């Protein structure tokens, strides 16, 4: 349950970040702020949800290699979700300060590029920790 919930939350954050970039390019500030704020909230929730999976399952990383790998993947993904959250909040702050506009938008372009990486990370992590046990 938790990995799939995390994937939904984090992939929705990725989608909202892409939409926020489009809205910024069209100079729709209120849509940009709403999208990026929602994306930031979903990033925080998704990072927590991905960590909740092995925590509530009681996986002990010192007991076997599989729980250790699960924990490493989950920590890697949660750490990058936290970095993505900082980037999203940074874009909101830059736009509020007038330093990011529809014309000068490299900040949101780079953040969107990072979130493309996050989408791949999320898909691979969830496939490994939720999909592989089903194959066995």
């Amino acid at each position: 349950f938790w990995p799939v919930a995390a994937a939904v939350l984090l992939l929705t954050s990725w989608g909202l970040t892409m939409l926020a970039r489009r809205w910024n390019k069209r100079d729709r500030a209120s849509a940009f702020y709403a999208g990026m704020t929602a994306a930031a909230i979903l990033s925080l929730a998704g990072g927590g949800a991905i960590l909740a999976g092995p925590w509530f399952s009681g996986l002990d990383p010192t007991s076997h290699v599989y729980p250790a790998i699960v924990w490493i993947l989950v920590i890697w993904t949660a750490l990058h979700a936290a970095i993505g959250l900082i980037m999203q909040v940074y874009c909101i702050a830059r736009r509020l300060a007038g330093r990011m506009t529809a014309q000068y938008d490299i900040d949101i372009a780079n953040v969107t590029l990072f979130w493309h990486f996050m989408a791949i990370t999320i898909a691979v992590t969830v496939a490994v920790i939720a999909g592989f046990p089903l194959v066995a």
Side-chain angles (χ1 to χ4, degrees), residues 31-54:
F32 168 81
Y33 292 128
M36 282 302 272
T37 301
I41 292 167
L42 292 173
S43 297
L44 184 62
I50 196 83
L51 289 169

Side-chain angles (χ1 to χ4, degrees), residues 9-111:
L9 292 167
L10 291 170
L11 290 174
T12 303
S13 179
W14 165 61
L16 285 171
T17 301
M18 289 193 308
L19 284 173
R21 179 181 181 197
R22 181 179 301 161
W23 292 326
N24 184 66
K25 192 64 143 171
R26 294 180 181 165
D27 208 17
R28 296 180 54 203
S30 59
F32 168 81
Y33 292 128
M36 282 302 272
T37 301
I41 292 167
L42 292 173
S43 297
L44 184 62
I50 196 83
L51 289 169
W55 180 266
F56 289 127
S57 297
L59 288 179
D60 179 14
T62 61
S63 67
H64 191 267
V65 70
Y66 179 74
I69 290 170
V70 169
W71 271 107
I72 290 297
L73 289 171
V74 161
I75 291 169
W76 173 267
T77 304
L79 176 65
H80 282 81
I83 292 167
L85 169 65
I86 292 168
M87 291 175 159
Q88 290 165 332
V89 172
Y90 175 78
C91 283
I92 293 169
R94 293 280 290 181
R95 176 91 187 181
L96 283 170
R99 305 292 290 177
M100 186 177 76
T101 63
Q103 183 180 3
Y104 301 104
D105 66 343
I106 196 64
D107 301 325
I108 188 68
N110 287 332
V111 170

Side-chain angles (χ1 to χ4, degrees), residues 4 66 126-136:
V4 175
Y66 179 74
V126 171
V128 169
I129 64 177
F132 282 0
L134 297 175
V135 174

